[in-house]
Amino acid sequence: MNSEAIVKETRAYHCLECGVCTSSCPVARVRPSFSPRLLVEKALFGFGDEIVRDRDLWSCLVCGRCTSRCPSNVDYLNFIKEMRIEASKLGEKGLFSHDGILNTIMELQSLSLRQKRTSWITDDLEVADEGEWFYFVGCLPYFDLVFGEGGYCDVGLKPTERARNTVRILNKMGIKPVVSNDERCCGHDLLWNGDLEGFRRLAELNLKTIEKSGAKKVICLCPEGYVTLKRDYPSYLGEQDIEVVQLYQLLADKLKEGKLNFVENGSDNPVKVTFHDPCSLGRIAEIYEEPREILSGIPGIELVEMERNRADALCCGTSGWVNCSSCSKQIQTERLKEAEATGADILLVACPKCGIHLSCAKYNSDIKIEIKDITDLIVEKMA
Amino acid sequence: MSEEFEPNIVGFACNWCSYAGADLAGTSRMKYPPNIRIIRVMCSGRVSPSFVLKAFQMGADGVLITGCHPGDCHYIAGNLKCEKTMETTRKLIDVLGIGEERLRLEWVSASEGSKFADVVTDFTNHIRGLGPILGKSQG
Amino acid sequence: METAEIRIGVYICHCGINIASTVDVDRVRDSISQLPNVIVSRDFKYMCSDPGQELVRRDIKEKGLNRIVVASCSPRMHEPTFRMTIQQAGLNPYCLEMANIREQCSWVHEDREYATAKAVKLVSAAVAKVSLLEPLEEKEVEVRPEALVIGGGIAGIQASLDIADAGFKVYLVEREPSIGGHMAQLDKTFPTLDCSACILTPRMVEVERHPNIELLSYSEVIDVSGYIGNFHVKVRKKPRYIAMDKCTGCGMCAEACRMKGKIISEFDVGMGKRSVPYIPFPYAVPSKYTIDPENCLFITKGKCGKSPACKDACSSDAIDFEQKEEIVELDVGTIVVATGFDLFDAREKPEYGYGLYDNVLSGLEFERLVSSSGPTQGKIVIDDKEPRDVVFVQCVGSRDKSVGNEYCSRVCCMYTAKQAHLIHEKLPDAKLTVFYIDIRAFGKGYEEFYDRVREEGVRYIRGNVSEIIKKGDRLLVMAEDTLLGEPVDIEADLVVLATGIVPRKDVKEVGNLLKISRSPDGFFLESHPKMRPVDTATDGIYLAGCAQGPKDIPDTVAQAKGAASSAMTKMARGKVKVEVTTASVDTFVCRGCGRCVEVCEYGAPNLEEVEPGIFVSQINDSICKGCGACSVVCPSGAISMKHFKNEQILSQIAAVI
Ligand SMILES: Cc1cc2nc3c(=O)[nH]c(=O)nc-3n(C[C@H](O)[C@H](O)[C@H](O)COP(=O)(O)OP(=O)(O)OC[C@H]3O[C@@H](n4cnc5c(N)ncnc54)[C@H](O)[C@@H]3O)c2cc1C
Ligand code: SF4
Ligand code: SF4
Ligand code: SF4
Ligand code: SF4
Ligand code: FES
């Protein structure tokens, strides 16, 4: 798509130049040189070539705060995505974090290698090769090696514990999910970094794997994986005969049905927690209440909201493993301070990547608040 | 050239000990298979895991890193840092399905020309035995 | 980034037949000439010869080349040569890349096909890298002609004297009121039995008188910043409460003090007493008194009789309770660390009863006991009685993993032999026994001395003492004679423990201050155990004496002279070249996580607070050695290594596959 077509497609020519996007943008708040409004204007005035060469094209977090507030319904997120696709055709790319290891890991998964990505499965977990439900694990097994203990960039996490948690919870619900070594990265980051071809390859391989398992329902913990499978696979590869479900949707239903129960809490002092809405789960997928319903069902837990929550939530500061910078750190620090200001003991996250980014910002800092994944809490309290 | 599988091997050698060791193998006219191509870095501790992954992605069948013996690194402990990083990298390429055996780290001093030749010969034969990385070409 | 068009010249050397007999040079030349940006691709018989180099220079001028690849022997051999060549033709010397097609190709392969194919790959990789190389500036920093010496034991004294004699200014910082260190506490010294004070005092006086030495006693270094050539140092001078310029050292204050004789003397390691105004030992340098603030009634209670007795007694009006600590700032080019050692605290081995029984002494306590300047004027008496049976226990706190010290302290065997000899000299009838595991008498004259002591009748029993218990008013020392294979119990009136040498209590803080590392034994780490035994990993900082590890006086003096010579070499030239291919931080990208600070062995990166709460790493390129470790751990990609950037290395990888 050339820049004119992108402007049309994303309704950018409706832009009122009101500046709501820029003033909503967490990046622009830290780095005034970055202005979503000016990027759109540049495109309107036909300077598309400049945008695709601009280092700031990769600074956008695709958090969607601008899109959700734009009075003219400019589809800013797709504007960025299409511009990046154009830019990568010219060989442009963002500055990769971790020397680009994560990006290469994603790309390598589009080759037909025999991965050993299910080695996180312990004996107590029940999984299957074929069945009704496919648990889409995502990149957790790789995150273990990068961010887990002994990993390159140890931030004090054990990412695959989230996967084990998910299976534990599903087992409790009576579901024995399919978990496959042939699963690939969902392709979210490749797509949003402009590598459309790479994304397609991964998506096709994943659809084939799911089909082979016979599953008709796919369950995702990772919000990015969820929106990618639910929204992007159909839009790029056509309608699929599968139902994509986010874990918290399923659990909220089960809670209502009385099939998810928690142990009674002995002590009177409730634990105060606060909750960080991930961009993809919140603004993109509009799943705001389900995690909160689950939390309110857990005895002994008191949820206190941060100043900015739900559609107003701040992003965790990095996306797609590009252009992570001092700006990201400032956004993250701001978010963590906001969490601390609630007086909560625990900051709950619902996205493995949010957990990683926020924990990374805690490293060598004086921020104390504990960061936990919601699934940790559920498994702890599940009856 | 013969029809046998000839692997592509990328080597990283630190400037101070192991690159000098490789040079000594040459000055002493020792022979080893030509599959390896060495890239000089100042210290094995400079080798980022991304170099290893990229090498495999670009078509390498094996990666060999050589550094100074523990205690001899020109920069005190770059080699030990490399050892730690590569331990994780071996796990990583195993999960990816490339196979951990395709990455090797060896200590070679400036006086160990013959060790260098032996290490390269052994590694090349080993990779030759493993064959190409499964299905890579289909990607 | 250079925007000018990249114009590459590639030169493939035959090296006579060394390369050409195995590698088809013509084919390499032709395939390389097809690569983008390659303007000329030539082959030549001997590239390193004058005509070879001239060829490059001429092409640079005539064809406007700005990047050069030489495919020949190892860069370890001729990189300097060709860097000079292209510099002569006006190019930046770092716009060169070499492809090693001799040592790593033609000499190690036989098959001409394979060797040629490999040579093409190697040269392509060099072409790929050279097109991404950037010109770099070589840098020199000035070295100030002043040195800081930390610690005034024999090591610091010797280093200071040597540097000062060579004409450089020396600031000698000593924590205690006097210089001299442990050597001042010793009686005689093995193996020659020189009296320690007799050989040390003249050197101490020399330090005091030397026009190039400024002694900052009773002072401590509190901050060090900068790098070789230009360290900025802050020193805290503690208040002595006695004006240095007025005190004559007469000692009237000490005599008059109400606390006289009530304070434990550190110098006599608790064996003697002193007053509150004190001079550590008679021949101290400087020979000025110091009021011990912790025990002074006036300072701690605000009141000392009607008026402080010392003040009344001093006829030079030197007592000054208003004195405050003073911060002195120094700029120096080099630093010698000579902070020495602490004695192992034998209380860590409770089975020996040290600290419990008055007649179990440490090695250093015995030195004071036997010294004619010590608390008993050199008479060996315990509870006013001369001991009849004396037992020495070797290796206390050394070679002992149970207390975390694996190493040998290197002086205890010999000082025990010396101490046994001194007792024998004074009390010829005393029965002397030494328990040992091995005797280490490795120095010049040491074995001979050990033999002499045995001939004097000292009994050596091979076995480690397991326990010392009280028996009446004597001690019972229990061990196994491992040569006979039977237990031995010996009664003694005095036991001397050969307590070992351990790192200073504050070694970690001092190490952090100077950003120098320590070896597993806790002492400061030298840059190379054999080739650079006095250097640290930080340029411009050198080690002398027991700060680096246990040693005797001759070795201490030798190392001090070595450290002095290293410092002098840098200061004499007045300039040092610093590494060019260093790390640099993109401050826009850096997250201030501090991982680079943690990984760097040299303390080159530092987190600076650029705005409140926002930290950014700054790498000092005069300190950075260019190892690249930081760039591997940096999560954000903020660090790039000059001449070994990620994209440069990745381009080589792509080209060789
Ligand atoms: C019991 C005993 C007997 C010995 N007998 C002999 C013998 O007979 N013959 C022989 O050759 N060797 C002998 N030795 C060894 C000898 O004592 C040492 O080799 C020598 O003292 C080492 O000198 P040094 O300058 O390195 O350390 P030290 O003597 O410890 O001097 C270090 C100095 O630095 C000062 N200092 C420390 N930290 C700081 C700081 N942060 N800032 C400022 N100043 C600081 C200290 O106050 C001290 O003055 C004996 C050792 C012991 C323990
Ligand atoms: S998507 Fe988020 S980061 Fe990107 S421009 Fe909009 S508000 Fe800013
Ligand atoms: S990781 Fe989560 S919060 Fe962070 S950008 Fe992605 S979705 Fe948003
Ligand atoms: S390159 Fe090495 S020496 Fe330089 S700052 Fe990084 S870790 Fe330190
Ligand atoms: S490791 Fe990288 S991001 Fe972290 S402080 Fe250093 S330069 Fe900055
Ligand atoms: S210099 Fe050889 S491994 Fe560090």
Side-chain angles (χ1 to χ4, degrees), chain C residues 465-506:
Chain C
V465 171
S466 63
E467 209 174 335
I468 298 170
I469 55 173
K470 193 107 184 148
K471 192 175 180 206
D473 52 4
R474 306 187 84 200
L475 298 165
L476 187 68
V477 182
M478 299 190 270
E480 189 206 42
D481 183 330
T482 58
L483 298 181
L484 299 178
E486 55 193 38
V488 274
D489 294 349
I490 295 194
E491 284 191 29
D493 312 299
L494 170 63
V495 173
V496 182
L497 304 177
T499 37
I501 284 179
V502 297
R504 287 266 178 203
K505 269 189 292 298
D506 61 351

Side-chain angles (χ1 to χ4, degrees), chain A residues 116-137:
Chain A
K116 295 186 187 163
R117 52 152 52 231
T118 56
S119 50
W120 53 270
I121 299 172
T122 46
D123 290 344
D124 58 318
L125 305 177
E126 289 190 50
V127 295
D129 292 331
E130 287 176 8
E132 186 192 354
W133 286 89
F134 188 100
Y135 167 33
F136 193 87
V137 180

Side-chain angles (χ1 to χ4, degrees), chain C residues 154-205:
Chain C
I154 180 58
I157 291 173
Q158 185 63 52
S160 299
L161 287 172
D162 280 8
I163 298 173
D165 281 346
F168 301 104
K169 170 101 194 169
V170 175
Y171 299 99
L172 172 56
V173 176
E174 167 59 52
R175 176 152 59 197
E176 301 296 327
S178 170
I179 55 171
H182 284 101
M183 188 175 167
Q185 291 171 288
L186 307 181
D187 180 40
K188 301 264 171 26
T189 54
F190 63 74
T192 46
L193 300 175
D194 305 86
C195 136
S196 193
C198 309
I199 51 178
L200 181 62
T201 322
R203 315 248 67 194
M204 290 167 60
V205 173

Side-chain angles (χ1 to χ4, degrees), chain B residues 13-19 41-46 65-70 72-80 82 105-108, chain C residues 627:
Chain B
C14 81
N15 181 56
W16 301 98
C17 287
S18 58
Y19 194 90
V41 285
M42 291 315 277
C43 175
S44 64
R46 170 70 185 100
I65 303 168
T66 55
C68 314
H69 284 270
D72 286 346
C73 169
H74 193 72
Y75 307 97
I76 303 174
N79 46 1
L80 302 180
C82 178
L105 171 63
E106 292 274 357
W107 310 135
V108 176
Chain C
C627 70

Side-chain angles (χ1 to χ4, degrees), chain B residues 1 6 15 19 22-23 26 29-34 36-40 45-46 51 55 58 75-76 81, chain C residues 74-76 79 100 103-104 107-109 114 118 537 599 601-602 627 631-632 641 644 646 654 656-657:
Chain B
M1 295 192 206
E6 285 302 343
N15 181 56
Y19 194 90
D23 278 352
R29 307 299 200 275
M30 286 156 178
K31 301 293 174 232
Y32 56 78
I36 189 167
R37 282 103 214 225
I38 294 165
I39 292 169
R40 181 168 68 127
R46 170 70 185 100
F51 300 167
M58 291 176 194
Y75 307 97
I76 303 174
K81 292 169 195 159
Chain C
S74 171
R76 290 176 55 90
E79 198 171 57
N100 185 344
E103 282 85 342
Q104 296 182 9
W107 276 351
V108 284
H109 306 316
Y114 282 128
K118 173 169 172 176
V599 81
E601 304 281 346
Y602 306 96
C627 70
S631 81
V632 173
M641 299 303 308
F644 291 92
N646 279 2
V656 294
I657 293 172

Side-chain angles (χ1 to χ4, degrees), chain A residues 98-105 107-117 119 141-142 145-146 150-152 201, chain B residues 46 48-51 53-54 56-57 84-86 88-92 94-98 133-136 138-139:
Chain A
H98 308 284
D99 277 0
I101 299 166
L102 291 141
N103 206 67
T104 312
I105 290 174
E107 289 168 5
L108 277 165
Q109 290 178 61
S110 65
L111 309 181
S112 33
L113 297 167
R114 282 296 297 177
Q115 295 175 82
K116 295 186 187 163
R117 52 152 52 231
S119 50
Y142 295 105
L145 295 162
V146 184
Y152 304 126
R201 273 201 297 272
Chain B
R46 170 70 185 100
S48 160
S50 70
F51 300 167
L53 292 186
K54 276 281 170 197
F56 285 118
Q57 190 188 16
K84 191 175 158 255
T85 317
M86 291 310 145
T88 308
T89 309
R90 281 162 63 88
K91 286 186 201 148
L92 183 56
D94 214 44
V95 175
L96 275 166
I98 290 168
I133 298 176
L134 187 79
K136 194 178 61 187
Q138 303 166 28

